[in-house]
Amino acid sequence: MRFLDNYPREVKVFLIASLINATGSSLMWPLVTMYVFDELGRSMTDAGFVILIQSLGGILGQLLGGSLYHKVGVNRLIVGSLAVNALTLFALPAASANWTAFIVTMGLMGLFNALSMPAIQAFVGFRFASQRAQLFNIIYVANNIGVAVGTALSGFLADISYMLSFVLNGATSAVFAAFFFVYLRRVGGSSGPIPADARRGPSRQESNWKLMLNTRIYLFMALGSLFLLIGNSIWNTGVSPFIISEGLPKKYYGFLWTLNGVLIFAAQPLVSLIRRRFAAEPASQMTASAIFYLLGYVVILTVPSYGGMLCAMILTTLGEMLISPAQPAFISEHAGRNAPFYLGLSGGIGAVGRVLGPLFMGSLFDEGGLAPTAWLACAMAVLSVGFFVINAYGIRRRPAAEEPAA
């Protein structure tokens, strides 16, 4: 933790709280399909429908979370959404007795879990404006530690009780809500500190519809993310069934994600070097990210073997490491006080890719195996590169008359 010595104590506490919350959240997501199929005795089609409803709730949550930041206030928005998310998780045991109630509860869980995401990102961008780019990266790494720990624990907990995983997830969400309740009361202000550079931008009287017209801030970046997420579905609905159909041990698929987790920590110096030498700005980091994803998919297409997939995972993980902190940093830098709205809007648009990707990839794999899914992933990455280039060019060429007043 010595790399955190230059940050205030409140940052370290925030990271610990984020890690605990990420650990709890990751206890559940690997088990939803297993729970619906195994414990509830439903079909895999039903399990996929539940995931779809949860994903749609998440998209709506991101959109609402960004637009409500200044209207509701960061205290009530973050604490309230996390607290209600905890309640939905605690309600799952009772809701499981009725299929309709279970579906509704899962949708609400997706909604309230996502509701806090743009608010938390905006709060970090406002409060730590001078260090936000580095902090978004550190938070990303901390969350991945939580995901690694939670995913590893989920299987053991499922052997004991599925509901134990759900309740522990609810408990960590409640702890995160309590942390923010105490923390935000201590730092003061109902909407969080907004430094001078974050006060720039469109006036607070502008409606959400009018803010949406300022497409240079969010649209091309969001479309780039959408296509990137469609392509990234190849890992779940292309690579995974390919490994099974080739007769390889299922643990080989797990090894790919183990490699992903190891690289997120071990490859930080390499990614830092890429940022310093080739992609100093968030906009260029997103473009570089899409290029790494494209290279990874090209490897899957041209070397359809397990060795090729290991190489592809290395390349796409580098892309993931570049884009995950770059997007909130970009919005925080260019959107001023309206960053929460644009974080939610761009996040919601991008998340559509997570819904569409498995549908497209699954049908292509059923028809032709791995090759057509790899072609689609490559095409999506090319589109993503194009939109990220447009995004970077549009920001650099922004006329002086459009620049927000300080």
Side-chain angles (χ1 to χ4, degrees):
M1 299 288 284
R2 292 186 61 186
F3 65 94
L4 291 176
D5 288 345
N6 294 328
Y7 295 94
R9 181 177 178 273
E10 64 177 305
V11 170
K12 301 172 186 177
V13 176
F14 176 83
L15 290 175
I16 293 172
S18 297
L19 189 151
I20 293 172
N21 185 60
T23 301
S25 297
S26 61
L27 287 174
M28 184 173 176
W29 67 262
L31 302 179
V32 173
T33 301
M34 292 172 58
Y35 176 72
V36 172
F37 182 74
D38 181 30
E39 189 77 6
L40 299 184
R42 310 290 299 200
S43 68
M44 287 302 293
T45 300
D46 288 339
F49 181 70
V50 170
I51 298 297
L52 174 63
I53 295 299
Q54 184 182 3
S55 299
L56 292 175
I59 293 172
L60 179 60
Q62 291 237 43
L63 296 173
L64 283 175
S67 63
L68 292 175
Y69 186 93
H70 290 300
K71 295 182 176 70
V72 175
V74 66
N75 296 43
R76 283 180 288 180
L77 182 58
I78 295 179
V79 175
S81 59
L82 289 172
V84 176
N85 182 57
L87 291 177
T88 61
L89 286 159
F90 292 141
L92 271 178
S96 299
N98 180 278
W99 180 240
T100 301
F102 179 76
I103 292 174
V104 171
T105 304
M106 291 295 294
L108 290 174
M109 187 187 69
L111 170 69
F112 287 105
N113 182 56
L115 201 62
S116 64
M117 291 179 183
I120 292 173
Q121 289 178 330
F123 179 81
V124 171
F126 286 157
R127 181 158 185 82
F128 309 105
S130 63
Q131 299 171 303
R132 57 190 168 208
Q134 304 96 308
L135 276 179
F136 282 130
N137 186 60
I138 295 172
I139 291 169
Y140 162 70
V141 174
N143 285 344
N144 273 279
I145 296 174
V147 169
V149 174
T151 305
L153 290 175
S154 62
F156 297 103
L157 293 172
D159 285 337
I160 302 171
S161 168
Y162 284 107
M163 287 305 167
L164 179 60
S165 298
F166 301 161
V167 170
L168 286 177
N169 188 356
T172 57
S173 184
V175 168
F176 206 34
F179 161 76
F180 267 107
F181 178 76
V182 174
Y183 175 63
L184 293 173
R185 283 171 64 90
R186 177 152 44 87
V187 300
S190 61
S191 59
I194 303 178
D197 71 323
R199 294 193 188 102
R200 300 179 302 170
S203 67
R204 68 181 67 195
Q205 284 76 29
E206 289 188 286
S207 68
N208 291 343
W209 294 110
K210 191 168 183 180
L211 291 175
M212 289 176 65
L213 296 177
N214 193 4
T215 55
R216 290 189 180 186
I217 289 180
Y218 74 94
L219 183 59
F220 302 115
M221 184 194 79
L223 290 174
S225 298
L226 187 154
F227 289 118
L228 208 59
L229 288 171
I230 290 176
N232 206 41
S233 298
I234 192 174
W235 293 106
N236 294 325
T237 44
V239 171
S240 174
F242 174 79
I243 287 175
I244 294 172
S245 64
E246 290 293 297
L248 298 172
K250 295 182 180 67
K251 63 183 179 181
Y252 279 23
Y253 182 66
F255 289 158
L256 291 174
W257 292 108
T258 301
L259 175 62
N260 172 266
V262 170
L263 285 172
I264 287 172
F265 311 122
Q268 283 294 326
L270 174 58
V271 173
S272 296
L273 178 64
I274 293 171
R275 290 194 186 105
R276 287 197 306 271
R277 296 288 182 87
F278 308 106
E281 298 299 321
S284 57
Q285 289 164 23
M286 288 184 274
T287 304
S289 167
I291 292 172
F292 274 111
Y293 274 103
L294 174 59
L295 292 174
Y297 301 148
V298 168
V299 170
I300 293 176
L301 179 64
T302 56
V303 190
S305 64
Y306 189 71
M309 291 170 186
L310 287 170
C311 180
M313 178 57 81
I314 294 172
L315 291 168
T316 57
T317 299
L318 292 174
E320 175 191 343
M321 294 170 69
L322 283 166
I323 197 170
S324 293
Q327 290 184 319
F330 177 85
I331 292 291
S332 298
E333 179 180 336
H334 293 284
R337 63 167 283 106
N338 291 302
F341 174 79
Y342 290 115
L343 283 166
L345 183 59
S346 60
I349 294 172
V352 173
R354 288 196 180 95
V355 177
L356 298 179
L359 298 176
F360 296 156
M361 292 288 179
S363 61
L364 285 175
F365 188 89
D366 288 340
E367 292 179 6
L370 182 65
T373 66
W375 276 112
L376 176 61
C378 290
M380 294 298 98
V382 169
L383 286 173
S384 184
V385 170
F387 278 111
F388 286 143
V389 168
I390 294 171
N391 175 70
Y393 179 79
I395 289 297
R396 284 198 302 268
R397 298 288 295 174
R398 192 175 184 180
E402 291 184 29
E403 287 292 347

